[in-house]
Amino acid sequence: MKIPFYIIFFFITFSVSSQTNWTELENDLWKQKEKGEISTEDWYFKLKKEAGSITPNITAWFQSKEKIEKNDSEKTTKLFFPENYQFEKENGNTYAKLYLNNHSNDTIQIQKMSAIINKITEYFMIDNKWIKGRISDAEFYTCGFQYDIKIEPNERVYILIDNEPITNGTNKLKYKLVIDIYGQIVESNIIEVKLFENQIKRLKETQ
């Protein structure tokens, strides 16, 4: 599996603000990789399993906007994962498909920085309550232009979620995304993700 540079960059920079014990684990793994004691692939796997890392930001990539058929039974904005949402690109990177449908009679606007959709937050069901995870924060990126995408009635936006860090664990959890559309909060349907024990522990400790 090819590991994108931005994932490596995220793990390094995020460790600065993490709790001390997790930071030490991340730094130790990084030193092992730099010394050639573990491969890049092993380093990335151990970051998730041993250091509980899931990257600081969830990346929501804008793909396209298209017309959809009018649905008289739907009068709202709908965020959802379709069937067979999970897929892998030729480079080995894993993504989840996500759609934002506008079934309302009004035009809505979502924020975007270059190809990154802003204001999307993930939640994990842990101990029978929703625990906040990462945020798609366009301001985290230092390059690109921020502007709004207009979604007319009976249009939808196709989004790719870079969700590889939450797909390889041994614990199945319920999961959802929430988008803030200038104060209008829209929740996705619930899917299942797989986290390692330390990823769950780290999420609970950082609340």
Side-chain angles (χ1 to χ4, degrees):
M1 180 191 72
K2 181 180 178 182
I3 302 173
F5 171 77
Y6 68 85
I7 288 183
I8 296 176
F9 174 76
F10 282 169
F11 275 122
I12 296 170
T13 56
F14 187 49
S15 66
V16 175
S17 60
S18 302
Q19 292 188 8
T20 303
N21 56 333
W22 300 117
T23 301
E24 290 176 355
L25 285 170
E26 289 181 343
N27 289 340
D28 183 57
L29 288 170
W30 177 254
K31 290 176 182 177
Q32 291 179 45
K33 188 183 87 69
E34 288 294 282
K35 293 177 181 179
E37 297 173 357
I38 57 175
S39 67
T40 300
E41 288 73 18
D42 287 341
W43 165 76
Y44 183 51
F45 180 79
K46 288 175 178 289
L47 274 173
K48 294 178 290 184
K49 185 175 182 180
E50 298 178 10
S53 297
I54 59 172
T55 74
N57 286 64
I58 182 170
T59 309
W61 302 96
F62 171 80
Q63 297 298 296
S64 62
K65 186 174 67 168
E66 60 188 15
K67 285 286 186 180
I68 56 176
E69 292 185 6
K70 185 177 181 180
N71 187 343
D72 292 330
S73 64
E74 292 274 4
K75 295 295 183 182
T76 60
T77 304
K78 183 178 180 181
L79 182 69
F80 70 99
F81 295 95
E83 292 185 17
N84 303 316
Y85 59 85
Q86 195 72 45
F87 78 102
E88 184 176 300
K89 286 192 173 183
E90 292 181 358
N91 61 8
N93 294 337
T94 303
Y95 299 89
K97 299 177 184 178
L98 186 71
Y99 291 104
L100 178 64
N101 287 10
N102 183 11
H103 295 292
S104 73
N105 296 321
D106 301 314
T107 298
I108 62 174
Q109 297 185 107
I110 58 174
Q111 297 178 25
K112 184 167 83 75
M113 172 75 80
S114 294
I116 308 299
I117 303 295
N118 204 6
K119 304 296 184 182
I120 293 180
T121 305
E122 68 180 1
Y123 290 87
F124 300 86
M125 178 66 77
I126 300 175
D127 296 336
N128 295 316
K129 62 180 180 180
W130 288 110
I131 298 295
K132 184 178 179 181
R134 301 165 296 170
I135 298 174
S136 180
D137 185 359
E139 295 179 0
F140 182 85
Y141 299 87
T142 58
C143 59
F145 299 95
Q146 183 167 324
Y147 58 94
D148 287 350
I149 302 173
K150 290 184 178 181
I151 309 175
E152 304 288 343
N154 303 315
E155 283 188 338
R156 77 175 176 188
V157 167
Y158 171 35
I159 304 168
L160 284 185
I161 302 295
D162 186 3
N163 72 336
E164 194 281 334
I166 58 174
T167 59
N168 303 127
T170 54
N171 298 278
K172 296 180 180 180
L173 300 177
K174 292 181 179 179
Y175 176 87
K176 68 179 180 181
L177 294 176
V178 175
I179 186 170
D180 183 345
I181 307 174
Y182 287 100
Q184 178 188 0
I185 305 302
V186 181
E187 296 188 7
S188 76
N189 52 330
I190 296 172
I191 63 171
E192 190 176 80
V193 296
K194 297 178 181 179
L195 297 188
F196 291 106
E197 194 65 40
N198 279 349
Q199 288 178 310
I200 296 173
K201 183 179 179 182
R202 186 165 179 171
L203 279 168
K204 292 168 66 174
E205 289 183 0
T206 55
Q207 296 303 303

